[in-house]
Amino acid sequence: MSTVATNPEPSRFERIWNSNMAYSFRRNPVAVVSLAIFLAIAIMSLLAPVIAPFDPYDPAQIDIMNSEYPPVWVDGSEPEFILGTDDQGRDLWSTILYGTRLSLLIGLCAVGLQAFLGISIGLIAGYIGGRLDSLLMRLADIQLSFSTLMVAIIFLAVTQAMFGSETFNQYAVFFLIAVIGVAEWPQYARTVRATVLAEKKKEYVDSARVLGFGPLRIMVRHILPNSLSPIFVISTVQVANAIISEASLSFLGLGMPPSQPSLGSLISSGFDYIFSGSWWITAIPGVVLVVLVLVINLLGDWMRDVLNPKLYKG
Protein backbone atom coordinates (compact mmCIF):
# COMPACT_ATOMS: atom_id res chain seq x y z
CA MET A 1 0.00 0.00 0.00
CA SER A 2 1.23 3.46 -0.81
CA THR A 3 0.80 6.24 1.64
CA VAL A 4 0.19 9.79 0.56
CA ALA A 5 2.21 12.32 2.51
CA THR A 6 0.17 15.25 3.71
CA ASN A 7 1.60 18.52 4.83
CA PRO A 8 0.69 19.39 8.42
CA GLU A 9 -1.70 22.26 8.83
CA PRO A 10 0.20 25.46 9.67
CA SER A 11 -0.21 26.77 13.17
CA ARG A 12 -1.93 30.04 13.93
CA PHE A 13 1.42 31.74 14.48
CA GLU A 14 2.65 30.54 11.07
CA ARG A 15 -0.51 31.81 9.37
CA ILE A 16 -0.06 35.22 11.01
CA TRP A 17 3.68 35.29 10.22
CA ASN A 18 3.04 34.48 6.55
CA SER A 19 0.12 36.86 6.16
CA ASN A 20 0.27 39.92 3.94
CA MET A 21 0.25 42.29 6.92
CA ALA A 22 3.17 40.54 8.64
CA TYR A 23 5.11 40.40 5.36
CA SER A 24 4.55 44.11 4.77
CA PHE A 25 5.51 44.91 8.36
CA ARG A 26 8.81 42.99 8.15
CA ARG A 27 9.75 44.82 4.96
CA ASN A 28 8.93 48.27 6.34
CA PRO A 29 11.76 49.48 8.61
CA VAL A 30 9.83 52.61 9.61
CA ALA A 31 6.95 50.50 10.93
CA VAL A 32 9.33 48.13 12.73
CA VAL A 33 11.22 50.95 14.46
CA SER A 34 7.98 52.78 15.29
CA LEU A 35 6.42 49.71 16.88
CA ALA A 36 9.61 49.00 18.84
CA ILE A 37 9.70 52.56 20.21
CA PHE A 38 6.00 52.53 21.04
CA LEU A 39 6.24 49.18 22.84
CA ALA A 40 9.29 50.39 24.77
CA ILE A 41 7.47 53.54 25.91
CA ALA A 42 4.27 51.64 26.73
CA ILE A 43 6.04 48.87 28.67
CA MET A 44 8.19 51.29 30.67
CA SER A 45 5.15 53.40 31.54
CA LEU A 46 3.13 50.34 32.60
CA LEU A 47 6.04 49.21 34.78
CA ALA A 48 6.50 52.68 36.27
CA PRO A 49 5.99 51.49 39.89
CA VAL A 50 8.83 49.01 39.36
CA ILE A 51 11.20 51.07 37.19
CA ALA A 52 10.76 54.54 38.66
CA PRO A 53 13.20 55.29 41.51
CA PHE A 54 10.70 57.66 43.14
CA ASP A 55 6.92 57.85 43.48
CA PRO A 56 5.72 61.32 42.41
CA TYR A 57 2.40 60.68 44.18
CA ASP A 58 4.08 60.17 47.58
CA PRO A 59 4.69 63.51 49.34
CA ALA A 60 7.21 61.82 51.66
CA GLN A 61 9.53 61.23 48.67
CA ILE A 62 9.36 64.83 47.44
CA ASP A 63 11.69 67.52 48.80
CA ILE A 64 11.22 71.08 47.58
CA MET A 65 14.93 71.67 48.24
CA ASN A 66 15.68 69.32 45.33
CA SER A 67 13.75 71.44 42.84
CA GLU A 68 15.17 72.42 39.44
CA TYR A 69 18.19 70.13 39.42
CA PRO A 70 19.40 69.77 35.81
CA PRO A 71 19.92 66.43 34.01
CA VAL A 72 23.09 64.47 34.72
CA TRP A 73 24.86 65.73 31.57
CA VAL A 74 24.55 69.36 32.74
CA ASP A 75 26.76 70.97 35.38
CA GLY A 76 25.19 71.23 38.81
CA SER A 77 23.23 68.00 38.56
CA GLU A 78 22.71 65.28 41.16
CA PRO A 79 23.50 61.66 40.15
CA GLU A 80 20.29 60.28 41.69
CA PHE A 81 18.16 62.44 39.37
CA ILE A 82 18.97 61.21 35.85
CA LEU A 83 16.76 63.71 33.98
CA GLY A 84 16.80 66.32 36.72
CA THR A 85 13.89 67.51 38.84
CA ASP A 86 10.89 69.77 38.29
CA ASP A 87 9.83 72.89 40.18
CA GLN A 88 8.30 70.77 42.97
CA GLY A 89 11.43 68.70 43.54
CA ARG A 90 10.05 65.55 41.88
CA ASP A 91 12.38 63.28 39.95
CA LEU A 92 11.62 64.04 36.30
CA TRP A 93 12.38 60.49 35.07
CA SER A 94 9.88 59.01 37.52
CA THR A 95 7.31 61.70 36.81
CA ILE A 96 7.57 61.15 33.03
CA LEU A 97 7.03 57.40 33.45
CA TYR A 98 3.90 57.93 35.53
CA GLY A 99 2.73 60.79 33.32
CA THR A 100 3.13 58.76 30.12
CA ARG A 101 1.09 55.95 31.64
CA LEU A 102 -1.67 58.40 32.50
CA SER A 103 -1.62 59.98 29.03
CA LEU A 104 -1.82 56.56 27.36
CA LEU A 105 -4.66 55.53 29.67
CA ILE A 106 -6.68 58.64 28.82
CA GLY A 107 -5.95 58.27 25.10
CA LEU A 108 -6.91 54.60 24.89
CA CYS A 109 -10.05 54.93 27.03
CA ALA A 110 -11.20 58.02 25.13
CA VAL A 111 -10.75 56.22 21.81
CA GLY A 112 -12.64 53.23 23.22
CA LEU A 113 -15.55 55.53 24.05
CA GLN A 114 -15.34 57.17 20.62
CA ALA A 115 -15.36 53.78 18.92
CA PHE A 116 -18.33 52.50 20.93
CA LEU A 117 -20.47 55.56 20.22
CA GLY A 118 -19.39 56.01 16.61
CA ILE A 119 -19.65 52.35 15.59
CA SER A 120 -23.07 51.98 17.22
CA ILE A 121 -24.44 55.12 15.57
CA GLY A 122 -22.83 54.30 12.21
CA LEU A 123 -24.25 50.77 12.16
CA ILE A 124 -27.76 51.96 13.02
CA ALA A 125 -27.69 54.86 10.54
CA GLY A 126 -26.31 52.81 7.66
CA TYR A 127 -28.44 49.70 8.16
CA ILE A 128 -31.80 51.29 8.98
CA GLY A 129 -31.44 54.36 6.76
CA GLY A 130 -34.29 56.74 6.10
CA ARG A 131 -35.08 59.61 8.42
CA LEU A 132 -33.09 58.11 11.27
CA ASP A 133 -29.99 58.05 9.06
CA SER A 134 -30.54 61.68 8.08
CA LEU A 135 -31.05 62.75 11.69
CA LEU A 136 -27.94 60.97 12.99
CA MET A 137 -25.75 62.24 10.16
CA ARG A 138 -26.95 65.82 10.69
CA LEU A 139 -25.98 65.47 14.35
CA ALA A 140 -22.57 64.22 13.20
CA ASP A 141 -22.21 67.20 10.85
CA ILE A 142 -23.08 69.60 13.68
CA GLN A 143 -20.54 67.89 15.94
CA LEU A 144 -17.84 68.05 13.25
CA SER A 145 -18.45 71.77 12.76
CA PHE A 146 -17.08 72.42 16.26
CA SER A 147 -13.42 72.00 17.16
CA THR A 148 -12.68 69.24 19.65
CA LEU A 149 -10.62 71.59 21.79
CA MET A 150 -13.33 74.24 21.74
CA VAL A 151 -15.98 71.75 22.92
CA ALA A 152 -13.60 70.35 25.54
CA ILE A 153 -12.60 73.79 26.86
CA ILE A 154 -16.23 74.88 27.25
CA PHE A 155 -17.31 71.62 28.88
CA LEU A 156 -14.36 71.38 31.25
CA ALA A 157 -14.53 75.06 32.21
CA VAL A 158 -18.24 74.76 33.05
CA THR A 159 -17.63 71.48 34.90
CA GLN A 160 -14.81 72.96 36.93
CA ALA A 161 -16.99 75.94 37.86
CA MET A 162 -19.92 73.71 38.84
CA PHE A 163 -18.10 71.11 40.93
CA GLY A 164 -15.18 73.16 42.20
CA SER A 165 -11.47 72.67 41.65
CA GLU A 166 -11.04 70.01 44.32
CA THR A 167 -13.76 67.71 42.97
CA PHE A 168 -12.70 68.40 39.39
CA ASN A 169 -9.09 67.48 40.12
CA GLN A 170 -10.21 64.28 41.83
CA TYR A 171 -12.19 63.09 38.81
CA ALA A 172 -10.20 64.85 36.08
CA VAL A 173 -9.32 61.57 34.36
CA PHE A 174 -12.97 60.64 33.88
CA PHE A 175 -13.93 64.13 32.72
CA LEU A 176 -11.15 64.12 30.11
CA ILE A 177 -12.05 60.65 28.83
CA ALA A 178 -15.72 61.63 28.56
CA VAL A 179 -15.23 64.93 26.76
CA ILE A 180 -12.56 63.68 24.33
CA GLY A 181 -14.55 60.53 23.63
CA VAL A 182 -17.87 62.29 23.02
CA ALA A 183 -16.29 65.03 20.88
CA GLU A 184 -14.78 62.65 18.30
CA TRP A 185 -17.43 59.96 17.69
CA PRO A 186 -18.48 61.31 14.22
CA GLN A 187 -15.15 60.15 12.77
CA TYR A 188 -16.17 56.55 13.40
CA ALA A 189 -19.87 57.03 12.64
CA ARG A 190 -19.37 58.40 9.13
CA THR A 191 -16.78 55.78 8.19
CA VAL A 192 -18.81 52.85 9.53
CA ARG A 193 -22.00 54.16 7.91
CA ALA A 194 -20.31 54.33 4.49
CA THR A 195 -19.06 50.75 4.89
CA VAL A 196 -22.47 49.49 6.02
CA LEU A 197 -24.18 51.09 3.03
CA ALA A 198 -21.91 49.08 0.75
CA GLU A 199 -22.02 45.83 2.73
CA LYS A 200 -25.78 45.59 3.36
CA LYS A 201 -26.45 45.17 -0.37
CA LYS A 202 -24.32 42.03 -0.62
CA GLU A 203 -25.59 38.49 -0.84
CA TYR A 204 -24.41 37.30 2.57
CA VAL A 205 -26.60 39.92 4.24
CA ASP A 206 -29.60 38.81 2.18
CA SER A 207 -28.85 35.20 3.15
CA ALA A 208 -28.78 36.15 6.83
CA ARG A 209 -32.18 37.83 6.48
CA VAL A 210 -33.62 34.75 4.76
CA LEU A 211 -32.35 32.59 7.63
CA GLY A 212 -34.38 34.73 10.00
CA PHE A 213 -31.57 36.59 11.76
CA GLY A 214 -32.57 39.86 13.38
CA PRO A 215 -31.13 43.27 12.47
CA LEU A 216 -28.94 43.42 15.60
CA ARG A 217 -27.27 40.08 14.86
CA ILE A 218 -26.79 40.94 11.20
CA MET A 219 -25.17 44.27 12.09
CA VAL A 220 -22.89 42.91 14.83
CA ARG A 221 -22.07 39.39 13.63
CA HIS A 222 -21.99 39.87 9.86
CA ILE A 223 -21.56 43.48 8.75
CA LEU A 224 -19.30 44.78 11.54
CA PRO A 225 -16.47 42.22 11.01
CA ASN A 226 -16.24 43.38 7.38
CA SER A 227 -15.88 46.99 8.55
CA LEU A 228 -12.91 46.47 10.88
CA SER A 229 -10.14 47.56 8.49
CA PRO A 230 -11.03 51.28 8.43
CA ILE A 231 -11.88 51.14 12.14
CA PHE A 232 -8.34 49.94 12.97
CA VAL A 233 -6.81 52.76 10.92
CA ILE A 234 -9.03 55.42 12.49
CA SER A 235 -8.33 54.09 15.99
CA THR A 236 -4.57 54.37 15.52
CA VAL A 237 -4.81 57.98 14.42
CA GLN A 238 -7.39 58.84 17.09
CA VAL A 239 -5.18 57.56 19.92
CA ALA A 240 -2.52 60.07 18.88
CA ASN A 241 -5.15 62.82 18.60
CA ALA A 242 -6.57 61.98 22.03
CA ILE A 243 -3.11 62.15 23.63
CA ILE A 244 -2.50 65.54 22.00
CA SER A 245 -5.92 66.77 23.14
CA GLU A 246 -5.21 65.71 26.73
CA ALA A 247 -1.81 67.40 26.64
CA SER A 248 -3.32 70.59 25.20
CA LEU A 249 -6.07 70.74 27.82
CA SER A 250 -3.63 70.03 30.63
CA PHE A 251 -1.33 72.74 29.31
CA LEU A 252 -4.26 75.19 29.41
CA GLY A 253 -5.02 74.22 33.02
CA LEU A 254 -8.24 72.32 32.19
CA GLY A 255 -6.80 68.82 32.30
CA MET A 256 -4.77 66.88 34.82
CA PRO A 257 -3.71 68.82 37.94
CA PRO A 258 0.00 69.13 38.88
CA SER A 259 -0.52 66.57 41.65
CA GLN A 260 -1.45 63.92 39.02
CA PRO A 261 1.26 64.39 36.40
CA SER A 262 0.58 63.72 32.74
CA LEU A 263 2.77 64.75 29.84
CA GLY A 264 0.62 67.83 29.27
CA SER A 265 0.65 68.95 32.90
CA LEU A 266 4.42 68.41 33.06
CA ILE A 267 4.95 70.63 30.02
CA SER A 268 2.64 73.24 31.52
CA SER A 269 4.30 73.22 34.94
CA GLY A 270 7.74 73.89 33.48
CA PHE A 271 6.71 76.49 30.91
CA ASP A 272 7.18 79.36 33.36
CA TYR A 273 10.77 78.26 34.00
CA ILE A 274 11.90 77.62 30.42
CA PHE A 275 13.46 81.10 30.03
CA SER A 276 15.00 81.08 33.49
CA GLY A 277 17.36 78.23 32.58
CA SER A 278 15.30 75.23 33.74
CA TRP A 279 14.46 74.20 30.18
CA TRP A 280 14.46 70.47 30.90
CA ILE A 281 11.19 70.58 32.89
CA THR A 282 9.29 71.36 29.68
CA ALA A 283 11.68 70.17 26.96
CA ILE A 284 12.14 66.54 28.02
CA PRO A 285 8.41 65.73 28.52
CA GLY A 286 7.78 67.60 25.25
CA VAL A 287 10.24 65.38 23.40
CA VAL A 288 8.60 62.26 24.87
CA LEU A 289 5.17 63.51 23.77
CA VAL A 290 6.37 64.28 20.24
CA VAL A 291 8.07 60.89 19.86
CA LEU A 292 5.02 59.03 21.21
CA VAL A 293 2.59 60.80 18.88
CA LEU A 294 4.97 60.48 15.92
CA VAL A 295 5.42 56.71 16.19
CA ILE A 296 1.66 56.18 16.62
CA ASN A 297 0.97 58.23 13.49
CA LEU A 298 3.64 56.35 11.54
CA LEU A 299 2.06 53.06 12.56
CA GLY A 300 -1.31 54.43 11.48
CA ASP A 301 0.07 55.39 8.06
CA TRP A 302 1.54 51.92 7.58
CA MET A 303 -1.69 50.24 8.64
CA ARG A 304 -3.69 52.43 6.26
CA ASP A 305 -1.46 51.43 3.35
CA VAL A 306 -1.64 47.71 4.19
CA LEU A 307 -5.39 47.57 4.77
CA ASN A 308 -6.24 49.63 1.67
CA PRO A 309 -6.66 47.12 -1.20
CA LYS A 310 -6.22 49.86 -3.79
CA LEU A 311 -2.63 50.36 -2.57
CA TYR A 312 -1.77 46.65 -2.46
CA LYS A 313 1.06 45.87 -4.85
CA GLY A 314 1.47 42.13 -4.19
Side-chain angles (χ1 to χ4, degrees):
M1 295 179 62
S2 61
T3 59
V4 179
T6 58
N7 294 326
E9 184 179 354
S11 63
R12 179 176 298 181
F13 174 78
E14 291 175 342
R15 291 197 300 269
I16 296 175
W17 183 256
N18 295 324
S19 64
N20 172 55
M21 179 173 287
Y23 175 79
S24 173
F25 176 77
R26 296 195 302 269
R27 292 180 59 86
N28 191 325
V30 174
V32 173
V33 174
S34 298
L35 181 61
I37 295 175
F38 174 75
L39 289 178
I41 295 176
I43 291 173
M44 285 191 296
S45 63
L46 290 175
L47 298 178
V50 179
I51 299 176
F54 299 93
D55 184 357
Y57 296 108
D58 185 5
Q61 299 186 31
I62 301 175
D63 187 357
I64 192 64
M65 299 302 294
N66 294 330
S67 62
E68 298 185 53
Y69 276 126
V72 292
W73 61 86
V74 179
D75 293 338
S77 61
E78 288 290 333
E80 60 179 330
F81 305 119
I82 300 176
L83 298 181
T85 58
D86 64 1
D87 58 319
Q88 300 181 38
R90 298 177 299 190
D91 176 49
L92 198 58
W93 166 244
S94 303
T95 313
I96 287 175
L97 289 176
Y98 280 89
T100 305
R101 182 175 66 169
L102 192 55
S103 295
L104 284 173
L105 174 65
I106 294 173
L108 293 174
C109 292
V111 170
L113 180 58
Q114 295 173 22
F116 175 77
L117 294 175
I119 292 172
S120 301
I121 294 173
L123 283 173
I124 294 172
Y127 188 81
I128 296 178
R131 293 182 178 179
L132 181 60
D133 178 24
S134 299
L135 175 62
L136 293 175
M137 288 303 101
R138 296 298 76 76
L139 290 176
D141 292 338
I142 294 173
Q143 180 69 46
L144 287 173
S145 65
F146 296 101
S147 169
T148 301
L149 283 180
M150 183 180 70
V151 174
I153 288 172
I154 295 174
F155 174 81
L156 293 175
V158 172
T159 304
Q160 192 170 13
M162 289 177 57
F163 295 99
S165 298
E166 184 176 353
T167 303
F168 178 85
N169 292 340
Q170 185 178 359
Y171 299 101
V173 174
F174 302 102
F175 287 136
L176 285 170
I177 291 173
V179 69
I180 297 174
V182 172
E184 291 286 341
W185 65 265
Q187 306 289 343
Y188 285 91
R190 293 172 69 90
T191 302
V192 172
R193 172 185 175 272
T195 306
V196 172
L197 290 176
E199 293 293 325
K200 73 175 185 178
K201 300 177 181 178
K202 296 185 178 179
E203 294 180 355
Y204 73 89
V205 177
D206 294 333
S207 301
R209 292 196 190 101
V210 171
L211 291 173
F213 296 153
L216 181 61
R217 179 167 180 175
I218 293 174
M219 286 188 290
V220 176
R221 297 287 299 275
H222 299 276
I223 296 179
L224 181 58
N226 293 295
S227 309
L228 293 179
S229 294
I231 291 175
F232 286 148
V233 177
I234 294 175
S235 298
T236 307
V237 177
Q238 289 299 100
V239 169
N241 291 340
I243 293 174
I244 293 177
S245 298
E246 181 277 323
S248 302
L249 293 169
S250 297
F251 182 81
L252 295 173
L254 294 172
M256 300 307 301
S259 59
Q260 302 180 46
S262 67
L263 292 178
S265 62
L266 283 174
I267 296 172
S268 176
S269 65
F271 189 74
D272 295 333
Y273 302 90
I274 193 170
F275 296 111
S276 64
S278 302
W279 51 266
W280 56 87
I281 303 176
T282 290
I284 297 178
V287 170
V288 175
L289 177 63
V290 169
V291 171
L292 179 61
V293 172
L294 177 62
V295 297
I296 293 176
N297 281 325
L298 290 175
L299 287 173
D301 291 340
W302 164 79
M303 189 175 295
R304 178 203 60 196
D305 295 341
V306 172
L307 296 178
N308 189 347
K310 295 180 180 180
L311 299 177
Y312 177 66
K313 299 178 176 60

